[in-house]
Amino acid sequence: MADEQGTIAPNVEGAGQPRPAGEPPVLGNVQAGDIQGAFGTIRFDDTRPRRGVRSRVMALLAIMGPGLIVMVGDNDAGGVSTYAQAGQSYGPSLLWTLLLLIPVLIVNQEMVIRLGAVTGVGHARLIKERFGRFWAWFSVIDLFVLNFLTIVTEFIGVSLALEYIGVSKYVAVPIAAVALVAITMTGSFRSWERFMYVFVAANFLVIPLLILAHPNVATIVHHSFIPGIQGGASSNAILLIIAIVGTTVAPWQLFFQQSNIVDKRITTRWINYERADTVIGAFVVVLGAGALMAVTAFALGSGPHPVAFTDAGATATALGQRLGSTGGTFFAVVLLNASLIGAAAVTLATSYAFGDIFGASHSLNRGFSDAKAFYVSYTLLVLCAAGIVLTPGAPLGVITESVQALAGVLLPSATVFLLLLCNDREVLGPWVNRPWLNVVATVIISILLVLSIVLVSTVLFPSVDVTRLTTYLALGLVVGLVGAGLVIWRRGAGGAPALAVRSEERASWTMPPLALLGRPQWSLGRTLAMRVLTGYLVLAVLMLVVKAVQLAGG
């Protein structure tokens, strides 16, 4: 059954017992409880195969949620602003960047799916148990700072959206904060997920908004598949592309989806359905982002009098003038919806992570009396973030800028731990990464690190030549990846070998109790690489803090 931390506890003979070296683990089911989704229930003892189309669709509807919500939640207030800026500043020419992000989203979150379903514990707890308290605290403190600032930006989005329709932020922000807390404290995962689906459905309001903008379909298709930058490559364009990546691929997604899978009681038997949930979510988020970019591109970024981007509130006003009051109101509602689902998901990811670290009960299936620390931490995050937005003179512009820079700094390190855990044979057994997936994940991490260095460099040194810096770093990346590939090929290494088990055994394989697992031993090279990464992160974060203080001081 689910233990107090919302994790899966073995409940059959032999599950999680030590095994002789070289032998597969003893396989068996675990009692995790029924899956109670927004659109259906799957009983724990229901192991019948789904063969017909209707049966599979019903199972997918019951399981869907964690993947779709984490993706749509990523189209938050910061995302809406970034996509609007891209369309207003560069027309539809940057649509191709969104298609490139689909495989990145799917690869990252697919690894998270396996970790959640196979281990039954949250991402932060796995880092703590496998790599020690230092790395766990390092990851969670970074996550907390970034997430808190992100939640502040979500409430900025709430205030901008509702001020457009005449509601004061001193009314809008408190109501939004209370609503978010009330939605989360129902004590029912199913109820919470149904509220999230309301936000997911509202995300599709961008479609009638796109119709109002009268886009040129042929132009959209062309720029979606043919890379280019209107006006040519420039420092501002490259920084905006980095911002698109940073707002679409965020560290909190890893922590949220893994814990949400555990909370929903999705086990290895249902991994393929959760994969489908995530793939659907990836396409939904990219289509929504592309629609927003196209709306502002055709309504505001083209014609004889293009409108320069300032903030999302000004974009709503401009759309109201160009498309009529309906267009401006639709954009404001899309911004409000994005802010609310973003705040809900990011805050929950943070509370999940702190529950993992402190060993406190953290589950949406528990009421307040059974999970006080979980709900109190969630409430405090929401109220404090809302309070900052309502504070006169608060440096909201600096906070918004800092979120993008900090996300760019922290994302590579979060993905590194994800890759290490997915190659941990003691944790995932037959579900460890295949060699080809390690290659893809390594390339993704390397690209994210290059983008992180570029972003940090431009924040700290505004006069740097971004185009030249990006070119040099990209060349260095190619040389480094080719060299590393040759070394790995000569050694014949490709990651941890998967256990050879039958498909039915693989479908029921679960991680042994963490207490029985030995701490993985790092090679000297891996240890040095992690120390270098840590040094870069610490130095970059400290310098960003200094820069933020300077900006706040005028």
Side-chain angles (χ1 to χ4, degrees):
M1 63 183 68
D3 65 13
E4 290 188 355
Q5 284 74 42
T7 63
I8 298 174
N11 196 40
V12 296
E13 182 179 357
Q17 298 299 314
R19 60 188 185 277
E23 292 187 9
V26 178
L27 303 171
N29 292 322
V30 294
Q31 176 62 42
D34 299 340
I35 296 173
Q36 296 182 334
F39 298 113
T41 299
I42 299 177
R43 297 188 60 81
F44 171 73
D45 57 3
D46 182 359
T47 59
R48 59 189 171 88
R50 266 65 178 178
R51 302 193 186 281
V53 174
R54 183 181 183 280
S55 178
R56 291 177 178 176
V57 169
M58 296 305 293
L60 177 61
L61 288 175
I63 290 169
M64 275 188 69
L68 183 60
I69 293 169
V70 75
M71 294 297 182
V72 176
D74 208 36
N75 268 0
D76 59 356
V80 171
S81 296
T82 301
Y83 307 139
Q85 181 180 1
Q88 287 181 240
S89 302
Y90 297 95
S93 67
L94 297 182
L95 284 169
W96 58 272
T97 60
L98 298 174
L99 284 186
L100 293 180
L101 290 176
I102 291 178
V104 177
L105 288 168
I106 292 174
V107 167
N108 274 2
Q109 298 308 122
E110 191 280 334
M111 290 191 282
V112 170
I113 291 169
R114 282 182 283 125
L115 285 175
V118 174
T119 69
V121 299
H123 199 67
R125 185 177 175 190
L126 273 184
I127 294 175
K128 175 185 174 183
E129 297 294 338
R130 301 306 286 159
F131 305 122
R133 292 182 177 274
F134 170 79
W135 292 110
W137 278 105
F138 185 86
S139 300
V140 170
I141 290 174
D142 288 345
L143 180 78
F144 172 78
V145 174
L146 174 59
N147 284 4
F148 180 73
L149 295 177
T150 302
I151 300 165
V152 173
T153 65
E154 310 298 3
F155 281 108
I156 295 174
V158 169
S159 66
L160 291 175
L162 290 178
E163 282 181 342
Y164 173 78
I165 59 178
V167 180
S168 168
K169 72 175 183 179
Y170 295 101
V171 175
V173 171
I175 290 177
V178 171
L180 287 171
V181 173
I183 287 170
T184 305
M185 298 182 71
T186 61
S188 167
F189 186 97
R190 170 175 284 173
S191 296
W192 173 85
E193 191 171 77
R194 284 175 174 170
F195 278 115
M196 293 301 104
Y197 268 109
V198 173
F199 295 135
V200 170
N203 179 71
F204 289 97
L205 286 175
V206 72
I207 294 176
L209 180 60
L210 179 61
I211 294 173
L212 287 173
H214 301 292
N216 185 305
V217 177
T219 302
I220 290 177
V221 172
H222 171 80
H223 288 295
S224 295
F225 293 96
I226 306 299
I229 301 175
Q230 181 176 296
S234 64
S235 295
N236 289 336
I238 292 174
L239 290 177
L240 187 55
I241 291 173
I242 295 174
I244 292 172
V245 175
T247 194
T248 309
V249 185
W252 67 265
Q253 292 175 286
L254 312 180
F255 293 83
F256 173 86
Q257 188 170 4
Q258 184 167 334
S259 291
N260 208 236
I261 286 172
V262 175
D263 212 358
K264 194 169 182 177
R265 301 161 178 164
I266 296 172
T267 58
T268 50
R269 184 174 299 279
W270 309 106
I271 278 182
N272 285 337
Y273 288 91
E274 181 54 29
R275 283 170 170 162
D277 173 32
T278 301
V279 170
I280 292 171
F283 280 93
V284 168
V285 71
V286 167
L287 288 173
L292 282 169
M293 197 180 294
V295 166
T296 56
F298 287 98
L300 305 177
S302 59
H305 303 291
V307 179
F309 177 83
T310 53
D311 60 42
T315 297
T317 301
L319 287 174
Q321 295 170 348
R322 293 287 177 90
L323 305 180
S325 60
T326 302
T329 301
F330 268 32
F331 183 85
V333 173
V334 168
L335 175 60
L336 174 63
N337 178 72
S339 303
L340 291 175
I341 192 172
V346 175
T347 309
L348 188 57
T350 313
S351 297
Y352 274 144
F354 271 88
D356 280 337
I357 291 296
F358 290 107
S361 178
H362 52 292
S363 171
L364 292 169
N365 285 304
R366 295 179 178 274
F368 180 80
S369 60
D370 295 326
K372 292 185 179 67
F374 174 63
Y375 289 115
V376 168
S377 65
Y378 184 97
T379 303
L380 287 176
L381 283 169
V382 169
L383 295 182
C384 289
I388 288 178
V389 174
L390 296 177
T391 301
L396 301 182
V398 174
I399 291 174
T400 303
E401 182 178 339
S402 299
V403 166
Q404 291 185 349
L406 194 57
V409 172
L410 299 182
L411 184 58
S413 65
T415 314
V416 165
F417 281 115
L418 176 63
L419 183 59
L420 291 175
L421 287 170
C422 284
N423 280 280
D424 192 332
R425 180 173 169 174
E426 293 294 314
V427 168
L428 287 185
W431 291 94
V432 293
N433 279 2
R434 302 301 184 187
W436 69 267
L437 184 55
N438 283 330
V439 172
V440 174
T442 299
V443 171
I444 290 173
I445 292 172
S446 301
I447 293 173
L448 292 176
L449 184 59
V450 166
L451 297 181
S452 170
I453 294 173
V454 172
L455 185 59
V456 172
S457 299
T458 55
V459 173
L460 300 178
F461 311 105
S463 61
V464 68
D465 188 330
V466 177
T467 305
R468 181 175 298 178
L469 174 63
T470 304
T471 301
Y472 289 156
L473 289 174
L475 290 174
L477 172 62
V478 171
V479 172
L481 288 176
V482 170
L486 290 174
V487 171
I488 293 174
W489 178 73
R490 290 177 64 88
R491 291 180 178 179
L499 295 172
V501 296
R502 297 191 302 271
S503 58
E504 62 270 20
E505 294 174 328
R506 189 169 184 263
S508 60
W509 200 94
T510 57
M511 181 186 70
L514 283 168
L516 299 181
L517 302 183
R519 186 69 59 81
Q521 298 298 316
W522 284 2
S523 65
L524 178 60
R526 177 174 291 183
T527 301
L528 290 175
M530 290 303 295
R531 295 300 180 189
V532 170
L533 178 60
T534 304
Y536 162 72
L537 292 174
V538 172
L539 180 61
V541 170
L542 288 177
M543 294 180 73
L544 286 175
V545 170
V546 172
K547 185 69 174 182
V549 171
Q550 291 175 344
L551 291 173

mmCIF file of all heavy atoms in Angstrom, residues 42 77-78 84 118 154 215 237 240 289 296 337 365 369 426 432 440 465 496 499 532 537 550:
data_model
loop_
_atom_site.group_PDB
_atom_site.id
_atom_site.type_symbol
_atom_site.label_atom_id
_atom_site.label_comp_id
_atom_site.label_asym_id
_atom_site.label_seq_id
_atom_site.Cartn_x
_atom_site.Cartn_y
_atom_site.Cartn_z
ATOM 1 N N ILE A 42 -9.043 2.555 -12.472
ATOM 2 C CA ILE A 42 -8.491 1.236 -12.750
ATOM 3 C C ILE A 42 -8.132 0.612 -11.411
ATOM 4 O O ILE A 42 -7.286 1.130 -10.680
ATOM 5 C CB ILE A 42 -7.241 1.314 -13.647
ATOM 6 C CG1 ILE A 42 -7.586 1.939 -15.007
ATOM 7 C CG2 ILE A 42 -6.641 -0.073 -13.849
ATOM 8 C CD1 ILE A 42 -6.394 2.112 -15.922
ATOM 9 N N ALA A 77 2.549 31.869 -17.466
ATOM 10 C CA ALA A 77 2.589 33.305 -17.758
ATOM 11 C C ALA A 77 3.878 33.697 -18.478
ATOM 12 O O ALA A 77 3.860 34.479 -19.446
ATOM 13 C CB ALA A 77 2.445 34.100 -16.456
ATOM 14 N N GLY A 78 5.014 33.159 -18.019
ATOM 15 C CA GLY A 78 6.278 33.450 -18.687
ATOM 16 C C GLY A 78 6.296 32.942 -20.114
ATOM 17 O O GLY A 78 6.842 33.592 -21.013
ATOM 18 N N ALA A 84 4.549 35.560 -27.167
ATOM 19 C CA ALA A 84 4.013 36.813 -27.702
ATOM 20 C C ALA A 84 5.145 37.710 -28.188
ATOM 21 O O ALA A 84 5.061 38.330 -29.262
ATOM 22 C CB ALA A 84 3.183 37.525 -26.638
ATOM 23 N N VAL A 118 8.491 2.872 -11.747
ATOM 24 C CA VAL A 118 9.281 1.730 -11.291
ATOM 25 C C VAL A 118 9.683 1.864 -9.820
ATOM 26 O O VAL A 118 9.677 0.890 -9.068
ATOM 27 C CB VAL A 118 10.531 1.552 -12.172
ATOM 28 C CG1 VAL A 118 11.440 0.455 -11.625
ATOM 29 C CG2 VAL A 118 10.117 1.219 -13.607
ATOM 30 N N GLU A 154 3.868 34.097 -12.065
ATOM 31 C CA GLU A 154 2.508 33.641 -12.383
ATOM 32 C C GLU A 154 1.481 34.641 -11.834
ATOM 33 O O GLU A 154 0.477 34.949 -12.503
ATOM 34 C CB GLU A 154 2.240 32.250 -11.803
ATOM 35 C CG GLU A 154 3.275 31.182 -12.099
ATOM 36 C CD GLU A 154 3.447 30.875 -13.578
ATOM 37 O OE1 GLU A 154 2.808 31.529 -14.426
ATOM 38 O OE2 GLU A 154 4.248 29.987 -13.896
ATOM 39 N N PRO A 215 -4.568 34.136 -39.813
ATOM 40 C CA PRO A 215 -3.194 33.780 -40.181
ATOM 41 C C PRO A 215 -3.107 33.203 -41.591
ATOM 42 O O PRO A 215 -4.093 32.692 -42.139
ATOM 43 C CB PRO A 215 -2.845 32.711 -39.149
ATOM 44 C CG PRO A 215 -4.166 32.045 -38.854
ATOM 45 C CD PRO A 215 -5.175 33.159 -38.908
ATOM 46 N N ALA A 237 17.884 38.039 -31.036
ATOM 47 C CA ALA A 237 17.179 36.872 -31.552
ATOM 48 C C ALA A 237 17.657 35.597 -30.859
ATOM 49 O O ALA A 237 16.851 34.728 -30.479
ATOM 50 C CB ALA A 237 17.367 36.763 -33.059
ATOM 51 N N LEU A 240 16.310 35.406 -27.397
ATOM 52 C CA LEU A 240 14.893 35.063 -27.389
ATOM 53 C C LEU A 240 14.700 33.568 -27.645
ATOM 54 O O LEU A 240 13.832 32.929 -27.040
ATOM 55 C CB LEU A 240 14.145 35.884 -28.427
ATOM 56 C CG LEU A 240 12.613 35.746 -28.414
ATOM 57 C CD1 LEU A 240 12.052 36.068 -27.031
ATOM 58 C CD2 LEU A 240 11.987 36.668 -29.454
ATOM 59 N N ALA A 289 1.747 26.933 -27.928
ATOM 60 C CA ALA A 289 2.796 27.952 -28.029
ATOM 61 C C ALA A 289 2.875 28.506 -29.445
ATOM 62 O O ALA A 289 3.010 29.721 -29.653
ATOM 63 C CB ALA A 289 4.137 27.347 -27.619
ATOM 64 N N THR A 296 0.222 36.786 -32.398
ATOM 65 C CA THR A 296 0.892 38.086 -32.286
ATOM 66 C C THR A 296 1.681 38.420 -33.552
ATOM 67 O O THR A 296 1.840 39.591 -33.900
ATOM 68 C CB THR A 296 1.824 38.113 -31.070
ATOM 69 O OG1 THR A 296 2.771 37.029 -31.160
ATOM 70 C CG2 THR A 296 1.033 37.969 -29.780
ATOM 71 N N ASN A 337 -5.463 31.925 -17.465
ATOM 72 C CA ASN A 337 -5.484 30.466 -17.336
ATOM 73 C C ASN A 337 -4.071 29.901 -17.244
ATOM 74 O O ASN A 337 -3.784 29.020 -16.421
ATOM 75 C CB ASN A 337 -6.213 29.874 -18.543
ATOM 76 C CG ASN A 337 -6.238 28.366 -18.516
ATOM 77 O OD1 ASN A 337 -6.946 27.745 -17.720
ATOM 78 N ND2 ASN A 337 -5.473 27.747 -19.392
ATOM 79 N N ASN A 365 -3.946 12.676 -2.094
ATOM 80 C CA ASN A 365 -4.966 11.739 -1.637
ATOM 81 C C ASN A 365 -5.200 11.830 -0.127
ATOM 82 O O ASN A 365 -6.056 11.117 0.405
ATOM 83 C CB ASN A 365 -4.566 10.302 -1.996
ATOM 84 C CG ASN A 365 -4.755 10.019 -3.475
ATOM 85 O OD1 ASN A 365 -5.841 10.176 -4.010
ATOM 86 N ND2 ASN A 365 -3.686 9.619 -4.136
ATOM 87 N N SER A 369 -5.328 17.068 7.777
ATOM 88 C CA SER A 369 -4.909 16.508 9.066
ATOM 89 C C SER A 369 -3.847 15.430 8.904
ATOM 90 O O SER A 369 -3.059 15.195 9.826
ATOM 91 C CB SER A 369 -6.121 15.926 9.807
ATOM 92 O OG SER A 369 -6.728 14.900 9.041
ATOM 93 N N GLU A 426 20.522 -0.627 -10.122
ATOM 94 C CA GLU A 426 19.904 -1.007 -8.862
ATOM 95 C C GLU A 426 18.519 -0.382 -8.707
ATOM 96 O O GLU A 426 17.643 -0.947 -8.061
ATOM 97 C CB GLU A 426 20.796 -0.575 -7.687
ATOM 98 C CG GLU A 426 22.117 -1.313 -7.597
ATOM 99 C CD GLU A 426 21.916 -2.777 -7.284
ATOM 100 O OE1 GLU A 426 21.120 -3.087 -6.369
ATOM 101 O OE2 GLU A 426 22.526 -3.621 -7.955
ATOM 102 N N VAL A 432 16.428 0.439 -17.258
ATOM 103 C CA VAL A 432 17.474 1.446 -17.451
ATOM 104 C C VAL A 432 17.498 1.914 -18.903
ATOM 105 O O VAL A 432 16.965 1.259 -19.798
ATOM 106 C CB VAL A 432 18.872 0.896 -17.063
ATOM 107 C CG1 VAL A 432 18.966 0.631 -15.577
ATOM 108 C CG2 VAL A 432 19.195 -0.356 -17.867
ATOM 109 N N VAL A 440 21.228 10.361 -27.071
ATOM 110 C CA VAL A 440 20.309 11.477 -27.298
ATOM 111 C C VAL A 440 20.262 12.393 -26.081
ATOM 112 O O VAL A 440 20.319 13.629 -26.202
ATOM 113 C CB VAL A 440 18.893 10.948 -27.625
ATOM 114 C CG1 VAL A 440 17.896 12.093 -27.710
ATOM 115 C CG2 VAL A 440 18.907 10.160 -28.931
ATOM 116 N N ASP A 465 29.358 39.717 -27.445
ATOM 117 C CA ASP A 465 28.846 39.398 -28.778
ATOM 118 C C ASP A 465 28.197 38.018 -28.707
ATOM 119 O O ASP A 465 28.866 36.992 -28.767
ATOM 120 C CB ASP A 465 29.991 39.407 -29.802
ATOM 121 C CG ASP A 465 29.493 39.265 -31.237
ATOM 122 O OD1 ASP A 465 28.443 38.617 -31.430
ATOM 123 O OD2 ASP A 465 30.153 39.773 -32.153
ATOM 124 N N ALA A 496 24.455 1.431 -18.613
ATOM 125 C CA ALA A 496 24.205 0.254 -17.806
ATOM 126 C C ALA A 496 23.415 -0.774 -18.601
ATOM 127 O O ALA A 496 22.407 -0.448 -19.220
ATOM 128 C CB ALA A 496 23.434 0.647 -16.541
ATOM 129 N N LEU A 499 18.639 -5.668 -17.445
ATOM 130 C CA LEU A 499 18.449 -7.044 -17.034
ATOM 131 C C LEU A 499 17.610 -7.780 -18.076
ATOM 132 O O LEU A 499 16.662 -7.237 -18.618
ATOM 133 C CB LEU A 499 17.737 -7.090 -15.680
ATOM 134 C CG LEU A 499 18.506 -6.519 -14.484
ATOM 135 C CD1 LEU A 499 17.599 -6.463 -13.275
ATOM 136 C CD2 LEU A 499 19.736 -7.347 -14.187
ATOM 137 N N VAL A 532 32.973 20.157 -11.162
ATOM 138 C CA VAL A 532 33.089 21.301 -12.065
ATOM 139 C C VAL A 532 31.710 21.897 -12.325
ATOM 140 O O VAL A 532 31.527 23.127 -12.307
ATOM 141 C CB VAL A 532 33.751 20.875 -13.392
ATOM 142 C CG1 VAL A 532 33.642 22.000 -14.429
ATOM 143 C CG2 VAL A 532 35.205 20.504 -13.164
ATOM 144 N N LEU A 537 27.651 26.168 -11.322
ATOM 145 C CA LEU A 537 26.322 26.546 -10.857
ATOM 146 C C LEU A 537 26.395 27.545 -9.708
ATOM 147 O O LEU A 537 25.689 28.551 -9.697
ATOM 148 C CB LEU A 537 25.544 25.294 -10.421
ATOM 149 C CG LEU A 537 25.155 24.318 -11.528
ATOM 150 C CD1 LEU A 537 24.539 23.065 -10.934
ATOM 151 C CD2 LEU A 537 24.190 24.965 -12.501
ATOM 152 N N GLN A 550 21.967 44.684 -8.212
ATOM 153 C CA GLN A 550 22.361 45.925 -8.881
ATOM 154 C C GLN A 550 21.200 46.508 -9.684
ATOM 155 O O GLN A 550 20.943 47.718 -9.644
ATOM 156 C CB GLN A 550 23.561 45.661 -9.797
ATOM 157 C CG GLN A 550 24.849 45.340 -9.047
ATOM 158 C CD GLN A 550 25.976 44.969 -9.993
ATOM 159 O OE1 GLN A 550 25.744 44.665 -11.161
ATOM 160 N NE2 GLN A 550 27.199 44.979 -9.493
#
